[in-house]
Amino acid sequence: MSFYTVAVSFVPRLAIAWAINLAALGAADALWTGVRIDGWAAFLIGSAVLGIANAVLKPLLTILTLPLIIITLGFFYLLINIAMIALAEWIAPNFSIDGFWTYVGTVVIVWLVNWVGDLALGQLEDRGATRLAT
């Protein structure tokens, strides 16, 4: 179970998710020439929109389109992830992504950074639990 969904209250959990998404967008901007995010406002707004979209819209869309996700063997889930990135791009100023494959690469980078962040936070939880037990 994820560290920041159990051991951390809502506001710090939101700040952690925001920071992880900020790092993910920074990595995507650094790795892909088709991703252009100019200025802190674009990073902060883009990561906030991405975090809120992933927390609220993505689960709803996943449930509503579950048969389509199953029929397409998960490909439609990739399209939902692309839609979350596109929403962040649309709302944040000075944020643009060019081309389908750049969207796919950005989704992969965001997923990897979130996965690594979740692993790191899980290890912190394990260390904290060990200290409390001794």
Side-chain angles (χ1 to χ4, degrees):
M1 184 168 288
S2 175
F3 166 73
Y4 59 96
T5 58
V6 174
V8 180
S9 65
F10 178 74
V11 173
R13 182 178 21 174
L14 187 63
I16 290 168
W18 193 0
I20 290 172
N21 281 319
L22 187 69
L25 290 180
D29 184 46
L31 290 172
W32 306 116
T33 57
V35 177
R36 286 181 301 285
I37 307 173
D38 297 320
W40 278 105
F43 277 105
L44 293 172
I45 294 169
S47 60
V49 170
L50 187 59
I52 292 167
N54 282 337
V56 177
L57 293 176
K58 188 175 171 182
L60 291 172
L61 287 173
T62 302
I63 290 169
L64 291 172
T65 61
L66 189 58
L68 192 54
I69 292 170
I70 292 169
I71 289 170
T72 62
L73 302 175
F75 179 74
F76 197 77
Y77 193 65
L78 172 66
L79 296 179
I80 291 172
N81 285 315
I82 289 172
M84 299 301 104
I85 300 278
L87 179 65
E89 174 195 13
W90 181 63
I91 292 175
N94 301 318
F95 181 175
S96 68
I97 299 176
D98 299 329
F100 175 77
W101 292 111
T102 307
Y103 274 105
V104 171
T106 302
V107 165
V108 169
I109 295 301
V110 168
W111 173 78
L112 280 172
V113 171
N114 275 280
W115 179 66
V116 168
D118 192 48
L119 283 177
L121 291 171
Q123 288 180 353
L124 287 175
E125 178 187 39
D126 292 345
R127 288 184 200 161
T130 303
R131 286 185 189 145
L132 290 175
T134 57

